[in-house]
Amino acid sequence: MPRYAIISDIHANLDAFEAVADDLGRCDVDLVVCLGDVVGYGPDPGACVDLAMDVCDTIVVGNHDLAAISDDAMRGFNDRARAAIHYTRRQLAAHHLRAIESWPERASLEALDATHGSFGPNGFEYVTAAASAARAFDGFDAPFGAIGHTHVPIAFVAHPAPVALALDGDHFLDDERTPASCVRTHRLLAPVPHAVAEGWRALINPGSVGQPRDRNPDAAWALLDTDARTVRVRRVAYDVERVADKIRLAGLPERLAQRLSLGA
Ligand code: ZN
């Protein structure tokens, strides 16, 4: 099963999700992996849970999904995110809640491990740069890892057996942790494929389906071919203004409508 579609951070944006689902159909994909945050922020949480259960082979849970089913998980959320979660809870039916409860925090597929935020000790750390990526690399074993959460398409690569030496008094000690200096960062710009060199591990963030934050409003997802060792981000246009209107109609905060067209 070498060709994975990796999708993440749908955020109850059904129009973007439907556009991506259509695009998946145009590509030759073996498995669809969803990295969570199916709900939160957007106007159509229930329909997005239904479509995710229909389209995805594997779904891991995101922090907004957890907040929809548990008050504890809402700690640290800002006012807009909280307002959206209260709206989300009013929209979800019992079968949606049961679906979310069934999603694990991480999943291991053949050559790919998947989680929402980070494989490191803090599962919802934002992996944005080499240091946080190094912590994530130490928390999974597969050649490829997939994470979402930042809404920015990016790939980190690291050599699997870095020789890192730490000085302890007069002695050098082997340190098996991945040093940040062994991590390289590559922005994933569609449609340019990124090749992962033989012997290197890669941590891939496909960006966000429903709320991109890389100044490009088009929905993002990634196609990872673990045999060819390539990853390619695809961008899919959808009617952003229509979704912004739905957000206003739902009574959600105005900023959540505005940010979609900014891709921020
Ligand atoms: Zn998110």
Side-chain angles (χ1 to χ4, degrees):
M1 293 283 192
R3 286 169 66 87
Y4 298 97
I6 307 173
I7 67 174
S8 191
D9 294 278
I10 293 155
H11 283 297
N13 183 337
L14 182 63
D15 299 63
F17 195 10
E18 285 177 340
V20 165
D22 281 350
D23 198 41
L24 296 177
R26 285 189 283 272
C27 299
D28 179 20
V29 165
D30 296 315
L31 275 179
V32 181
V33 181
C34 174
L35 306 178
D37 276 4
V38 175
V39 305
Y41 294 135
D44 293 312
C48 284
V49 171
D50 289 333
L51 186 55
M53 294 300 280
D54 189 30
V55 165
C56 303
D57 298 286
T58 298
I59 305 173
V60 295
V61 75
N63 52 322
H64 287 256
D65 306 321
L66 284 174
I69 57 172
S70 130
D71 287 336
D72 255 16
M74 237 202 302
R75 262 180 287 156
F77 275 33
N78 64 30
D79 290 348
R80 285 188 298 270
R82 268 170 202 277
I85 288 300
H86 291 306
Y87 167 82
T88 300
R89 289 179 179 179
R90 292 196 297 273
Q91 302 296 312
L92 295 179
H95 77 276
H96 298 127
L97 301 177
R98 277 198 303 276
I100 293 172
E101 279 165 14
S102 75
W103 300 341
E105 285 184 11
R106 52 192 287 176
S108 285
L109 305 158
E110 236 171 89
L112 178 71
D113 284 346
T115 196
H116 180 67
S118 173
F119 297 98
N122 171 6
F124 292 129
E125 179 177 20
Y126 288 91
V127 177
T128 55
S132 46
R135 287 190 283 278
F137 271 113
D138 290 339
F140 72 100
D141 296 320
F144 294 89
I147 52 170
H149 200 37
T150 66
H151 300 207
V152 174
I154 202 164
F156 301 96
V157 295
H159 200 271
V163 180
L165 297 172
L167 188 61
D168 172 32
D170 293 334
H171 304 282
F172 283 104
L173 297 175
D174 279 338
D175 184 343
E176 293 191 346
R177 288 172 301 177
T178 304
S181 58
C182 285
V183 176
R184 304 279 177 275
T185 303
H186 302 275
R187 285 289 306 278
L188 293 174
L189 299 173
V192 185
H194 177 76
V196 179
E198 198 64 48
W200 289 64
R201 298 171 73 212
L203 186 60
I204 289 143
N205 189 322
S208 168
V209 170
Q211 195 196 77
R213 294 179 190 162
D214 61 342
R215 303 276 162 195
N216 177 351
D218 292 345
W221 68 278
L223 182 59
L224 169 69
D225 187 325
T226 56
D227 285 352
R229 304 184 64 81
T230 57
V231 58
R232 182 192 301 257
V233 163
R234 289 176 64 90
R235 302 306 287 253
V236 188
Y238 70 96
D239 191 344
V240 172
E241 283 315 312
R242 188 178 126 90
V243 179
D245 286 344
K246 281 199 216 175
I247 288 174
R248 294 184 182 108
L249 221 79
L252 288 161
E254 172 63 21
R255 164 80 182 138
L256 296 178
Q258 288 169 357
R259 68 189 306 176
L260 290 185
S261 56
L262 302 172

